[in-house]
Amino acid sequence: MRAVIDTNCILASIPPKGDYYWLYESFEKGLFDWVISNEILTEYDEKISERYSRETAHLVITILLFAPNTILAEPYFRWQLIESDPDDNKFFDLSIAAEADYLVTNDRDFDVVKKVDFPKVNIVSLTEFKLILEL
């Protein structure tokens, strides 16, 4: 199963005692393939550094880059469907390009693309993704 993970979700999954640490543990166990692009890696690096530390960002990026269940892909088309926060389009575009099974986000800006018939992307919250993984 392939999943594109929005930045808000990776930020929530970093603290080992946090409610969403299961995301990291599930990835580590190989329960899903984490799909990333260079643009998304750059955003992860920036936001993790801001919220936690430069060292934490480096560790997370290194884990993602060397994990056997990471898929590096690049979008070949920009759909530009999310007008309320155009920066979120990179996650949607990657989901299409990589044929991801899910785009995992807790961001309401993605609600607009849930109503689009084509291209279709399964957008789920972190809580819904946990149920999908049967945790």
Side-chain angles (χ1 to χ4, degrees), residues 10-118:
I10 193 172
L11 291 173
S13 73
I14 291 174
K17 294 185 185 201
D19 293 338
Y20 298 107
Y21 191 67
W22 60 263
L23 180 66
Y24 170 73
E25 292 175 316
S26 299
F27 174 67
E28 184 180 43
K29 290 176 186 171
L31 298 182
F32 69 96
D33 294 331
W34 194 312
V35 183
I36 56 174
S37 67
N38 286 315
E39 189 176 15
I40 288 172
L41 274 177
T42 300
E43 180 171 307
Y44 285 175
D45 186 49
E46 176 187 330
K47 298 301 181 183
I48 294 168
S49 293
E50 286 174 8
R51 176 160 307 169
Y52 297 104
S53 69
R54 183 75 205 117
E55 293 77 20
T56 300
H58 179 72
L59 177 62
V60 170
I61 298 302
T62 300
I63 289 169
L64 284 172
L65 287 174
F66 290 99
N69 53 326
T70 297
I71 297 170
L72 184 59
E74 294 299 328
Y76 48 86
F77 186 80
R78 305 288 182 185
W79 292 91
Q80 301 300 322
L81 295 176
I82 304 170
E83 294 177 2
S84 58
D85 187 356
D87 202 38
D88 285 337
N89 281 300
K90 66 177 153 283
F91 296 97
F92 182 80
D93 297 342
L94 181 61
S95 296
I96 302 277
E99 298 178 0
D101 297 293
Y102 299 100
L103 192 166
V104 184
T105 182
N106 285 337
D107 189 339
R108 307 286 297 172
D109 288 326
F110 287 90
D111 287 350
V112 68
V113 294
K114 288 181 180 179
K115 300 172 186 153
V116 174
D117 291 330
F118 181 83

